[in-house]
Structure formats: structure tokens, C-alpha cells
């Protein structure tokens, strides 16, 4: 059931983004971009947790917003200090996203293999 809500939220968000004329000032673009990367990391982690039956909405929501906020704050502090601190967030979030995709792929391939074996035993 949670997967249905996640898919509906994704579709609704995409439609809102397409049809509402929202513009982001150029000064904000680094913060928004890194915040979106943090939110994407949490979303991919949530899907991985959902596949493994470990999904908890409170943990997902707190991670979603805190990752996005922390990434934006790190980027802001880096800009104020004239340092590229956002690169640390890009590396960490990028690594986690690829790791979660690898976990999902591994889980789905293993699950399918186990299911085929169980189906053969039941015949």
C-alpha cells in the first residue's frame, strides 16, 4: 500500500512541476540542486527499505527533510567560506544512491531466483 502512495506522490509532484510556472532564482540553484540530491538519496533508500520490508514512514520522512536541509546548509556554509563543501555532499549522496541501487538489484535478482526455486518445489 505504501508503494501506491509513493508512486502517487511521485506522479503528483511531476505534474505540479510541469504545470506550475515556478522559477528559482539563480542564486538559489546550488542549494536547491544539492537539496534535491539529498531528497533523492532518501527516496531511493526508502524504496530499498520497502523492498526489504523494513520501511518506516517516520524514519523516511525525517531522513528526507533532514538530508535535504543539511545538504543545503553545508552548501551555504561552503559558499560563505568560499569552499566547495557541496562536493562532499555530492560524493556521499552519489555513493549512497549507487549503493542503494546495487542493493535493490541484488535483492530483486535474489528474490526472483528464490521464488523460482520455491515454485519448482511446490509443483
Amino acid at each position: 500500500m505504501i508503494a501506491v502512495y509513493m508512486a502517487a506522490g511521485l506522479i503528483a509532484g511531476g505534474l505540479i512541476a510541469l504545470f506550475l510556472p515556478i522559477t528559482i532564482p539563480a542564486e538559489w540553484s546550488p542549494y536547491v540542486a544539492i537539496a534535491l540530491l539529498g531528497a533523492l538519496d532518501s527516496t531511493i533508500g526508502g524504496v530499498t527499505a520497502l523492498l526489504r520490508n523494513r520501511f518506516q514512514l517516520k524514519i523516511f520522512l525525517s531522513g528526507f527533510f533532514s538530508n535535504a536541509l543539511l545538504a543545503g546548509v553545508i552548501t551555504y556554509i561552503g559558499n560563505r567560506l568560499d569552499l566547495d563543501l557541496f562536493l562532499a555532499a555530492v560524493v556521499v549522496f552519489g555513493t549512497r544512491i549507487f549503493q542503494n541501487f546495487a542493493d535493490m538489484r541484488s535483492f530483486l535478482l535474489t528474490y526472483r531466483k528464490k521464488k523460482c526455486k520455491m515454485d519448482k518445489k511446490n509443483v
Side-chain angles (χ1 to χ4, degrees):
M1 189 65 169
I2 292 174
V4 173
Y5 292 135
M6 289 174 72
L10 183 62
I11 291 169
L15 290 174
I16 289 170
L18 284 174
F19 294 112
L20 286 181
I22 298 173
T23 57
I24 299 169
E27 305 87 42
W28 291 12
S29 62
Y31 310 113
V32 173
I34 201 71
L36 286 173
L37 189 61
L40 180 63
D41 169 52
S42 294
T43 303
I44 300 297
V47 172
T48 303
L50 185 65
L51 287 173
R52 297 187 177 276
N53 290 327
R54 297 183 193 162
F55 183 82
Q56 294 180 6
L57 185 60
K58 290 180 184 178
I59 292 173
F60 170 73
L61 289 176
S62 66
F64 184 86
F65 291 110
S66 63
N67 278 355
L69 182 64
L70 183 60
V73 168
I74 288 172
T75 303
Y76 175 77
I77 291 170
N79 284 347
R80 299 296 291 170
L81 296 173
D82 202 22
L83 296 171
D84 292 335
L85 289 181
F86 72 92
L87 290 175
V90 169
V91 169
V92 170
F93 289 140
T95 302
R96 287 173 39 129
I97 287 169
F98 281 109
Q99 184 61 49
N100 279 327
F101 270 125
D103 288 347
M104 280 192 280
R105 185 190 71 240
S106 174
F107 176 81
L108 290 172
L109 290 174
T110 306
Y111 176 78
R112 187 171 172 201
K113 192 175 184 180
K114 286 180 184 176
K115 187 176 179 186
C116 287
K117 284 183 181 179
M118 289 177 68
D119 288 343
K120 288 180 183 178
K121 286 182 182 179
N122 290 336
V123 171

